[in-house]
Each structure stands twice: as structure tokens, then as C-alpha cells.
Amino acid sequence: MTDRPRSHAEELARYWDALNLGQPADPGALDPDEAAFIQLLVSQARRAQIPAGARARAQRALLRQHARYQTTHQNGGTSMTNGIIAAPGPFAPWRPVRLATPAGRSGRVHQALSWGGALTLATVLMVMFFFLYQDQRNNALIPSAQVTPVASPAATPEAGSWPQWGANAAHTRVASGPGPEGDPELLWSRLAEPSSPQVSIDRGAGADGVLYLPSNGGEIVAIEAASGKELWRSSGYGDTVAIDGDGLIVHGHPGSGASGDLARISRADGHVIWTAETGRINATWNPVIADGVGYTPSGSDLIAFDPTTGETLWRLPLAAPASRGASVAGGLVAVADSQGTMYGVKAADGDLVWSYQTDATIIGHATITNGIVSVNANGGAQDAYLALDAATGSLKWRYATPDGATLLTAAVSETTVYLPAQNGMLYALDAETGALQWSFQAGTSSVTSPALAGGVLFFGASDGFLYALDAATGVERWRFQIDAASNSGVVIVDGVLYLSSSADTLYAIAGSTLAAPTSGTPAPHPNAVPADTVSGDPVTFAWAADGDAQHPLLGPGSLAIDAHGQIWVTSKIGSFFIFDLDGNLLETWGEPGSGEGQFAFSDGGMNDIASILFASDGGFYVADTFNSRIQQFDYQRRLVRTWGTNGPGDGQFLAPVGIAFDAQGNLLVADLFRNDVQRFTPDGVFIDKFGGPGSGPGQFSYPGLTAVAPDGSIWVPDVGNNRIQVLDQNGTFRFAFGAAGNGHGGFSGPSQVAFDGNGYVFVTDQGNNLVQVFDLDGHFLYQFGGLGTGDGQFNSPGSIAINHGTTAVIVDWHNNRIQKFKITGPFPAPAAEATPTS
Amino acid sequence: MARQYVEPFDVGDPPGRGCDDPETVRRAQRDSAAFTTLFDCFWELILRYCYGRLRSWPDAEDAAQAAFFQAVTHLPEFELRPAGGGFRSWLLRVAHNESASFLRLRIRRPALPFPEIEPADPTAGDDMEAIAINDWLAGLCATLSPARRDVIEFRLAGATTKEIAQILGKSEKTVNKLAERAIADLVKRRQEQEGEAA
């Protein structure tokens, strides 16, 4: 031990370490109060009482996940113990996802793909990691070729990769392989860790199943493309990235010792291969590699360098430091300086071919296509997009938006410039003439740099959507909602699209065509739950309805179907929206307020909830949740009576939501905040109540939209406890099923129970964006849905009503719509494993 | 005043100590059935850690669940991490990331259609004073800066300096400094509160 006196911090650590190791703790030099305070903290942390049954729930859930995992991943002879999979993020789908198997790949990955033909890329990664792992165990050296297939040094990027900023050295943003095909499917999303530097998608690069993303802390973070899992992080080098064979060209982080140097780091683990003192390299100067030569601004020069050694090949002084990185195509290097001059330079020897003076101060990365250098130029008299003749540097055309909006980097195909602007518009211009072909409005503030793949244009926008447009016509193919405004350009690698949001979430979006299981999928385990979408689905999408232009359905809360087959939906605006069974909006009825016959179906932002229950005489009851009362109406919609005031007493309410008739025709009212169920006569006279807060049998944590089974049992979604509780007619606990989980019987906020009359129970699962189907014993049978805005997808499914056992209508809350499904069955038999708990 | 906690008292046993011997971990890497040993050993540790971060048992259960699922599926790669520490540190880091997702989720999706208030404490009727102290501590911890709070949360879960340093990728010295400042912050806050109450 050392004789050096310990600092106070070390004393504290020593003391706390002893507590945490279960050793005798001597406060030593610590102040007794301080030591006692730490003891208090520690003892409280250790004594906070864990909810009853939590361990058993966790064990069951893990077993279920494990079983599910094994059945979906035991392929290609790879078992769970040596494989890895796409890690399920909070919204990640459970089904195995097929990634692109692009043609023209070379090296080990291609070989692996051709072995089975049907192995998913995830499986390939599994196998590769298995080898890597074995090698590690054998203490063998790991040649980097095993993790990163050797890329050809030629400039042509491997199909499917996005090797550098702008997809290629010409910065066209045209992907070299397909993009997501079919409907968008979330492959994974990755939430930034609060303590970690954010990574940037659009300054990143990707190939062969790995994304290399610069972080704002000056690192490169390598992320497994299939799962979003971090593989490694460089330290001291980052900010820009271009893939060159088995290396990445980056530059030294200005905060580190080697500030602004150019460097090459290993693609396998981020270790530094060479650094070159080329002058200070700026973080916005993305290096490019073309035909085996690297180009980057350096200080106030433009340089060409050998990417394998870092040796400078030529150096051309500019009038001022560059504005952005260079672009290279057809033997020409185009770069702009920060005083508004564009330069055309011979790639071979750095001779200046032409220059063009603009009045702009910020000129973006230029794009070179078909003999035209085009670039966004902002900060001059007018923000404009310029197209210059690549041979002479003369202006061919310029384009400014009608409102003079600031322009961002465009994607440029052979024929068309797709120009995003900070006014929420995307403009398609004829690449030869600059004539406007079409434009598309996406939100009102900003559109991010698009990517073009397979005739489809993909881009994010400040309105929180990812858009896919037909590149030729501008017609929207689909849009996909993300959690906040998109703040990055779109990057496409191996058929999967990546973008990030201003909430620092990274998204990986695959296409349904690629994501759907195919015939190559191995035969399921006998106990396997079926794939979510197969032909002959027992539940099929029929339509989605969101009102009409004058009456958009906003904040749908709860729905019910009346005797005429009309669907009544509560809206947060305080009205009912009434649809026919084909999804046509018939009328809206009701007005907001707290007066008699008025409604409060929303608490003003957080929750849109209420419910409606039809009686056999055509009258109906409304749980007017946020007025803390029940209102009864007759068949002509005339108010009969109102009862309940805000409070905890018998016959009072805090937030009544779940209303249902019991077997005797009395009214059950589940109250979210009281955590109980009260029973009333049809005239509103209090009879009895049951429940109370807690997680034990018969106790509730937010009892939700309750239903009564044909046998009279009462089924209560116990939202906070992630289970469905089944009570007998008297409210006595019978059994419960479900636990926190990601589907297949696991819940994340079960919202409503509905019976189809054929022995099946439908449960909407809000957090998992699923509808799960069970038998009357609580055995999981089937699920459908998934996060998204497409047909049959949900963003927070809430209320559900089933009509005649053949039609389910479901509130899709955050998509502001309702969806109808046809129930045809049959549902699969339950797996052997029992899910109910008692 | 402010002397009521001076007497040393039994702080309880640290959860999840003494069962992450390398052999158990290696066995679990080869045979996933052996993972149950690790689960049994570490479940409480991870759940308590998640609770410390999320202050909601349902969320903590979900986060711990997600962490274990990540762990069981990614266990084979575990030893590949060059900067990694013991299994326990690795698992805590996984739990840290998973609960970060839940925290983010709260911001992203604050509105299940049901209010985001704490469900009634299942310990109601037990030791109301302990619950009050717990809430008070949670309130105190919420005032810390994120880096200090991270360290305190790992500390309270039972991690040692060395483990926290491995988990967060910081030096032990930095971790100790952060813990020291966090404790100083907490003591100061507590004194302020007592001053207000007096």
C-alpha cells in the first residue's frame, strides 16, 4: 500500500467500496455525519421493497423470450450460445429481419450469403462473431479480414455500401444498392445514452454490416447495422469518415493531442494506422476517396493524399480555407472556399482548371454529375442553387425558391436535382436546365438531405416524418413517424435506411419486402408462435379512417359500436365522431365543457380517454372521464341523468374510464386513479366496489377499459401492472395473465379487453403497438400490428370493439385514426407453456 | 438537529456479490441454461439499479427484463470487449443503457393514455417512514448533475469504484471525485431542506 495520504474522495470511495463489498466499513478519516449519511443512502437503496411476484414475472418473461429467441434464431447450425441477434430496442420487431443480399458483393460476406442463400445478414454476423469469438478463446491473432471483408481499392463502392459522405466521391447521394422496398418497417432504434456524445448519421459511412458514425465528442462509433449495437469507439480520432478498404480516413479531434491531423484507423477496432500532419483539418471537411486517392481541404489548401500511407500527393493553395469538403468525379475535383469561390481542379496533378466567384459565404459539398457541378450557396444576396459547367466553370443555371429559403445539400440523379430547403419544401429540378419539375411540402420548417435508391426518394423532415416519394413524380409512397424532427440526412446501407431525430434517436428502417420472412426461413420449432404476418392470417386489415378534411379525427380515445353498426369514437376535442362500418364519417356530435351533456375527453395534452357503453334500449352511458362523472343518454341522445363528483368516496370518481354491464345488467365503472371498480344500478345508485391500489391479486394499478366475458367474469386491464386480471361476478380474484414484456403474452400497457364471442380475447397493447389474442384461459395465441403508420400498424393502439365476432375496430391513438380488421380465424392452438398466473 | 443518522447501523447485504466467478460466466456462455444461475444472482441487483434510476417499479421491472434479455443474447461476446471489466460491470452497463432507453421513452411518449404518476406503493402499510425517506432521497438525487447522479446510482446499486470506472469508461480518480461532489451536493441540499423546515 502507499504511504501517500488519501484524499477525501479516496477515503469516501474506500469506505463505500467496503460497504458495497459487504466488508467491515471503517469510516476512517470521514466525518461521522458523512459516513452515516452514506449508510442511510445505501440502506434505503437496499431496502426499497420489491413488488411481490416480480422475480417470478421476470423469470417467466426471460424464459419466454429465450424460447422465442431460440426458435427464431436456430438456423444455419448456429445456436443461441454462440450467436447474436438484432437486439430488441424498445420498438424493435420480434420477427427475424431479412436484410438485403445485394448482388456483386465480394469477399467473405458474399460467400457466406451464397452458402445458404437464405441466411440473413444477421446470421452472417452471428457466424462471423462466432469465429471471432472462437479465435479469441484460442488466443489466436485475429486477422482484420475476418471482421471486415477486404474491400477493393477501386473507387467504385461495393453495392449496398455508403462509403463516404454523400454516398460517393461525387456526393450524389444516390445509393449504390436498393433502399427499403415495400412498406417501412422499423428494424431498430437506438436511443442515445444521456452521458455519451451524440453520433451523427449523415456524416457517417457504412458497409458490410457496420455503420461508422462520427460523434460530436470527436470519436467514431462503429455500430452493428443489423442491431444498432455499438461495436467499438475510437478515441481521439473522428468527426469525418470515409471508408477505404480495411481502414477509415478520419481526422484528429481538435480536443485531442493530435489536433486536426489526418489519420487512418482500422475498421476492425478503431486503432490508428497512420497519422499525417497535413495542416489543420476542419470537422466539416469530409475527406473523399476516388480511384484510390484521397482529397481533402487542409489548412487553406486543397490536398490529394495516398489513403494507404497518408503521404501528400499534391497541394493546391486556395484563396481562403475551404467551406466544405471536396467532390471528385471524372478527373475533376470541385471545392469551394469560405470567400465564395468555387474551384475546378484536375484530380491527377492539382492544376487549377477554372474558378467561379459567387457572393455566397457558405457553399456546401458540390455534386458532380453528367458534366455539371451543382452546389447550394447560401449567405449571399440570395440563397441559391448553382449549376456550373464542369469543363469551364461557367454558370449553366441557378435556382432560388420563391421565398428565398436557405438550401441544403441535394441528391442528384442523372436527370434531376432533388433540392431540400429550410422552408419545408423539397424541389425537383431538371438537372440540365434547372426547371422546376415538381415540389413537395413536408412540414413547414426544414427538409433534410435526401437519398435516392431504386427510383424512390427518401428524406426526413422537421415535422417528424420520414418520407418516401416516387422520384419521377413526387407522389408520396409512404411516410413513417419518428419521435421528433429529423435532423440528419438519410443514409442507405444494404437496403436499410438510417436517420436520426432531434431527440437523438437513431432509426434503422427496413422495407417490408426485405423484412418479411420467406420460404428460406427454417421450419419453426414445434412450440413456436407463428410469424406475425403469414398468408391466411386470422386477422386482416380492412381500412383505416381519420375523418374528413373539415373534421379530422383528433385524439381518438375510446370507441364502441351501436346497434345500428355505427362506430362512435371519442375525440379529444370533446365530441363523438360517428363512422359507418365502411369507415365513412357520418357526423360528429357533442360539445366540450363541464356543463350538463358536455364532455371532457382529454386532460389537455397527456391523455385522450373516455368511454361509451350502449344499452339494449338504444340509450348509452358515457364515462366523462375528465369531468369525473357518468352521463346517461336515451336513444334520442337526450341527457337522462348525470352522477358522480370528484372524490374518493363511494359513488364518486377521479377518472372513470372502464364501463361495462355485469351479468345482472348493473354498471361497472373502473377508475384509473381510484384504482378500483365501482358497481351501480343502471340508474346510478351505488351498490358496491372492489379493488384498491397495489400489485397483488385483486389490486390494480390503473385499471383500464374493462369488459365482461360471456360467462359473467370481469376482465380488467391492469395497465400499470402489465396484466389482465380476471375476477368473478362479485369482484373476487380468479386469475391473471401477462407480465411486462414485448408481446407474445408480455404487455407494455394493456389498454382494453374485448371478446369476440367465439372464445377469443383481444387485448390492445399500447406500448408494444400490438393487439394480442388469447384464449379464455389467458393463453397467448396470436398477435398483430407493430409500430408504424402503414395499414395494420399502430402508434399506441387503445380502445377496441368487436362487432358480431367478425370485425374488430381499433383506435390508433397517435396516428389519429381508427382501423378496422376482419377476423377470420382460426387462431393457432396455445403453445405448451402456460402463461396464466394465479 | 441533523444528527439522527449518526449511529452506525446495519445497511443490509449488497445484492449480487460473490457469484460472478469467471467459471459460471464461461459456463453460461457455452450453455444458455446455465444463465439461470447468473439471473438468480444478479436479478435483484439489476432491478434495484433500474429502480434507482427510474423510480417506478413497473418501469424498473421492464428495464431489468430488457437488460437480462440483452445479456443472455449478447453474453457470448462478453469477453471480447477489450476495455471491459467483470460480468457484473458489464451487466450494470447493459442495465444502464436499457434504463436510459426508458428514460428517453418517458420524454418521447409521455402519455400512455394513463397518467404518468407513480402507482400506489405496494409497500403501503409497511414502513411509512422508510417510504418517506426513500422519496426524499429520490428527490435529492434528482437534483444532481447527470454525471454525478450516474455515479451515485451505481454506487447505491453496490458497484465499487473500479467497477464504476469500467462501466462509465472514466478513471477511478474521476469517479471518486464525482462521488465526493455528489455527496457534498446531497449533504448541502439536505441541510438546506432542514434549514427551510426549521
Side-chain angles (χ1 to χ4, degrees):
Chain A
M1 298 298 282
T2 172
D3 291 325
R4 184 176 57 85
R6 281 190 284 257
S7 70
H8 177 251
E10 283 167 327
E11 280 288 351
L12 206 63
R14 187 189 52 76
Y15 176 68
W16 209 328
D17 278 354
L19 287 179
N20 282 351
L21 291 165
Q23 295 164 349
D26 170 16
L30 292 180
D31 178 70
D33 263 0
E34 203 169 9
F37 184 64
I38 293 168
Q39 280 193 344
L40 173 72
L41 291 176
V42 169
S43 68
Q44 286 308 317
R46 289 181 193 170
R47 285 180 179 151
Q49 197 172 336
I50 293 172
R55 181 186 283 264
R57 279 197 292 280
Q59 278 170 338
R60 272 197 303 274
L62 192 69
L63 281 174
R64 209 160 31 229
Q65 285 176 326
H66 187 167
R68 170 76 180 150
Y69 172 87
Q70 282 192 313
T71 53
T72 50
H73 292 88
Q74 271 180 353
N75 46 13
T78 311
S79 78
M80 172 175 170
T81 47
N82 54 25
I84 58 162
I85 59 153
F91 293 129
W94 279 100
R95 85 181 63 139
V97 176
R98 172 170 304 278
L99 297 182
T101 53
R105 270 179 180 279
S106 59
R108 202 180 182 94
V109 165
H110 175 67
Q111 222 179 351
L113 285 168
S114 61
W115 289 335
L119 286 182
T120 63
L121 182 54
T123 315
V124 175
L125 285 167
M126 273 187 214
V127 173
M128 279 162 36
F129 270 89
F130 178 59
F131 289 149
L132 193 62
Y133 173 57
Q134 291 297 81
D135 282 350
Q136 178 89 343
R137 289 173 64 91
N138 299 338
N139 293 323
L141 272 177
I142 306 161
S144 59
Q146 286 215 343
V147 259
T148 47
V150 179
S152 118
T156 315
E158 298 156 53
S161 70
W162 187 287
Q164 48 198 322
W165 198 92
N168 47 53
H171 295 326
T172 60
R173 306 192 64 82
V174 177
S176 59
E181 290 170 0
D183 291 331
E185 301 232 345
L186 184 66
L187 182 58
W188 51 262
S189 65
R190 183 178 191 271
L191 304 163
E193 299 163 32
S195 55
S196 297
Q198 312 308 334
V199 297
S200 160
I201 278 279
D202 60 355
R203 285 191 291 121
D208 301 318
V210 182
L211 304 177
Y212 305 95
L213 306 179
S215 82
N216 64 9
E219 304 163 303
I220 298 288
V221 183
I223 290 177
E224 190 178 272
S227 67
K229 191 177 73 68
E230 182 175 324
L231 299 173
W232 53 259
R233 236 170 231 268
S234 69
S235 55
Y237 289 88
D239 282 343
T240 64
V241 57
I243 296 176
D244 177 60
D246 60 1
L248 302 174
I249 303 299
V250 299
H251 78 77
H253 181 235
S256 74
S259 66
D261 287 353
L262 197 62
R264 179 185 181 94
I265 64 175
S266 157
R267 270 174 75 184
D269 58 12
H271 77 263
V272 178
I273 296 166
W274 54 253
T275 65
E277 289 182 32
T278 53
R280 198 179 170 81
I281 311 275
N282 183 303
T284 57
W285 298 344
N286 291 280
V288 293
I289 316 285
D291 297 323
V293 177
Y295 304 86
T296 179
S298 165
S300 57
D301 301 340
L302 174 70
I303 65 163
F305 61 94
D306 181 339
T308 55
T309 63
E311 182 195 354
T312 302
L313 303 176
W314 53 253
R315 180 179 285 269
L316 173 71
L318 308 176
S323 170
R324 292 287 184 270
S327 318
V328 185
L332 182 82
V333 184
V335 70
D337 72 21
S338 53
Q339 290 179 358
T341 308
M342 279 298 305
Y343 301 87
V345 179
K346 263 170 79 177
D349 52 17
D351 281 355
L352 184 66
V353 183
W354 51 258
S355 66
Y356 178 86
Q357 184 65 44
T358 73
D359 68 346
T361 52
I362 302 163
I363 303 187
H365 285 89
T367 306
I368 309 177
T369 25
N370 274 353
I372 296 177
V373 176
S374 50
V375 72
N376 54 323
N378 298 318
Q382 188 184 32
D383 291 343
Y385 195 76
L386 309 176
L388 309 178
D389 186 311
T392 64
S394 60
L395 182 69
K396 291 192 72 146
W397 54 263
R398 72 195 297 276
Y399 180 83
T401 71
D403 59 352
T406 298
L407 302 167
L408 302 168
T409 303
V412 184
S413 74
E414 294 283 308
T415 57
T416 311
V417 173
Y418 301 98
L419 178 63
Q422 289 192 345
N423 58 359
M425 298 291 287
L426 186 118
Y427 301 91
L429 310 174
D430 184 292
E432 193 60 36
T433 65
L436 182 66
Q437 295 179 330
W438 51 260
S439 63
F440 183 88
Q441 176 97 42
T444 53
S445 59
S446 195
V447 172
T448 67
S449 287
L452 187 66
V456 182
L457 192 70
F458 301 93
F459 57 91
S462 57
D463 62 357
F465 283 97
L466 164 69
Y467 289 87
L469 309 186
D470 184 293
T473 62
V475 172
E476 183 177 325
R477 291 260 184 105
W478 48 257
R479 65 176 77 178
F480 182 90
Q481 188 162 21
I482 61 174
D483 62 345
S486 169
N487 67 351
S488 77
V490 162
V491 164
I492 293 173
V493 183
D494 288 335
V496 179
L497 179 153
Y498 302 90
L499 85 165
S500 66
S501 77
S502 57
D504 298 325
T505 309
L506 304 190
Y507 286 87
I509 313 285
S512 56
T513 313
L514 296 169
T518 68
S519 57
T521 310
H525 186 274
N527 282 350
V529 266
D532 301 342
T533 308
V534 291
S535 63
D537 286 347
V539 179
T540 47
F541 170 82
W543 51 251
D546 58 1
D548 59 30
Q550 286 75 42
H551 307 95
L553 178 60
L554 295 172
S558 176
L559 57 75
I561 302 173
D562 70 13
H564 309 293
Q566 296 182 345
I567 304 161
W568 293 52
V569 188
T570 66
S571 159
K572 72 174 180 185
I573 63 174
S575 301
F576 286 96
F577 280 58
I578 303 172
F579 296 86
D580 68 17
L581 275 173
D582 295 324
N584 301 307
L585 180 65
L586 302 174
E587 60 172 318
T588 64
W589 175 75
E591 60 181 39
S594 57
E596 295 229 316
Q598 295 179 319
F599 304 112
F601 294 157
S602 173
D603 62 356
M606 294 288 284
N607 304 294
D608 304 328
I609 192 75
S611 68
I612 180 168
L613 175 69
F614 289 99
S616 53
D617 63 0
F620 56 95
Y621 296 85
V622 177
D624 189 8
T625 306
F626 297 102
N627 284 328
S628 299
R629 65 185 178 188
I630 304 293
Q631 300 201 70
Q632 184 187 355
F633 296 84
D634 70 9
Y635 71 102
Q636 290 182 316
R637 303 181 190 171
R638 290 179 303 212
L639 184 68
V640 176
R641 65 173 62 82
T642 292
W643 77 88
T645 53
N646 192 291
D650 290 349
Q652 291 187 303
F653 302 108
L654 294 174
V657 295
I659 49 177
F661 290 116
D662 71 6
Q664 281 73 43
N666 291 316
L667 198 66
L668 300 166
V669 183
D671 191 307
L672 273 186
F673 293 176
R674 288 173 55 109
N675 287 306
D676 67 3
V677 178
Q678 298 183 77
R679 195 192 314 254
F680 298 88
T681 68
D683 301 333
V685 178
F686 174 82
I687 301 173
D688 63 357
K689 64 177 178 183
F690 50 88
S695 57
Q699 295 179 318
F700 300 113
S701 170
Y702 308 133
L705 298 165
T706 298
V708 173
D711 70 354
S713 58
I714 302 163
W715 295 52
V716 185
D718 190 2
V719 180
N721 290 323
N722 283 309
R723 63 181 178 181
I724 306 297
Q725 286 202 61
V726 182
L727 312 172
D728 71 12
Q729 298 184 25
N730 302 317
T732 308
F733 177 82
R734 276 174 51 185
F735 70 97
F737 61 95
N742 300 309
H744 300 280
F747 296 120
S748 173
S751 296
Q752 184 165 17
V753 176
F755 299 93
D756 75 344
N758 298 317
Y760 297 114
V761 186
F762 287 62
V763 181
T764 49
D765 182 355
Q766 186 149 45
N768 290 324
N769 296 296
L770 293 172
V771 178
Q772 302 193 40
V773 183
F774 299 84
D775 66 16
L776 287 170
D777 296 321
H779 294 114
F780 172 80
L781 305 177
Y782 183 76
Q783 66 185 33
F784 60 97
L787 175 66
T789 57
D791 291 349
Q793 294 179 315
F794 298 107
N795 190 345
S796 297
S799 179
I800 177 171
I802 296 180
N803 195 33
H804 301 308
T806 55
T807 300
V809 186
I810 299 167
V811 161
D812 187 3
W813 180 35
H814 280 152
N815 285 333
N816 287 313
R817 64 180 183 180
I818 58 174
Q819 296 193 64
K820 187 174 117 170
F821 294 82
K822 285 178 75 74
I823 305 171
T824 50
F827 292 99
E833 185 200 345
T835 48
T837 65
S838 56
Chain B
M1 59 170 230
R3 294 266 162 189
Q4 65 263 48
Y5 302 116
V6 173
E7 287 300 312
F9 56 92
D10 176 19
V11 296
D13 290 330
R17 274 287 164 205
C19 43
D20 64 338
D21 63 292
E23 191 39 49
T24 313
V25 176
R26 270 197 287 275
R27 206 165 56 239
Q29 285 184 317
R30 288 191 299 269
D31 171 14
S32 56
F35 188 79
T36 52
T37 315
L38 294 176
F39 174 88
D40 288 342
C41 179
F42 290 110
W43 176 76
E44 184 181 336
L45 168 78
I46 295 305
L47 181 69
R48 285 192 185 282
Y49 172 73
C50 293
Y51 177 72
R53 261 172 92 67
L54 301 170
R55 291 286 160 190
S56 146
W57 285 115
D59 281 359
E61 283 189 47
D62 286 354
Q65 195 58 45
F68 274 103
F69 185 64
Q70 292 285 350
V72 75
T73 52
H74 291 256
L75 187 63
E77 314 146 56
F78 159 58
E79 281 192 334
L80 288 177
R81 301 185 169 231
F87 175 74
R88 187 186 152 85
S89 310
W90 182 71
L91 191 59
L92 277 168
R93 189 186 158 89
V94 173
H96 178 76
N97 294 343
E98 290 300 331
S99 39
S101 302
F102 276 79
L103 286 173
R104 179 72 68 184
L105 210 59
R106 281 188 190 165
I107 300 164
R108 170 222 303 256
R109 213 186 42 183
L112 286 173
F114 308 104
E116 280 291 320
I117 55 170
E118 285 293 299
D121 194 310
T123 62
D126 289 357
D127 185 347
M128 291 311 292
E129 194 194 4
I131 292 165
I133 292 173
N134 232 330
D135 288 348
W136 168 74
L137 284 175
L140 282 188
C141 288
T143 63
L144 294 173
S145 75
R148 291 178 195 180
R149 198 178 156 181
D150 279 353
V151 170
I152 285 293
E153 282 165 351
F154 282 120
R155 269 288 184 206
L156 290 177
T160 62
T161 305
K162 194 175 164 195
E163 288 168 336
I164 300 171
Q166 286 166 347
I167 295 165
L168 295 176
K170 295 182 186 329
S171 73
E172 292 187 28
K173 201 169 163 187
T174 308
V175 169
N176 287 345
K177 266 286 172 216
L178 285 168
E180 181 189 33
R181 287 177 189 151
I183 289 294
D185 284 353
L186 291 177
V187 168
K188 191 166 152 233
R189 283 269 192 264
R190 181 176 163 215
Q191 284 165 351
E192 283 168 5
Q193 286 184 353
E194 279 168 355
E196 283 163 20

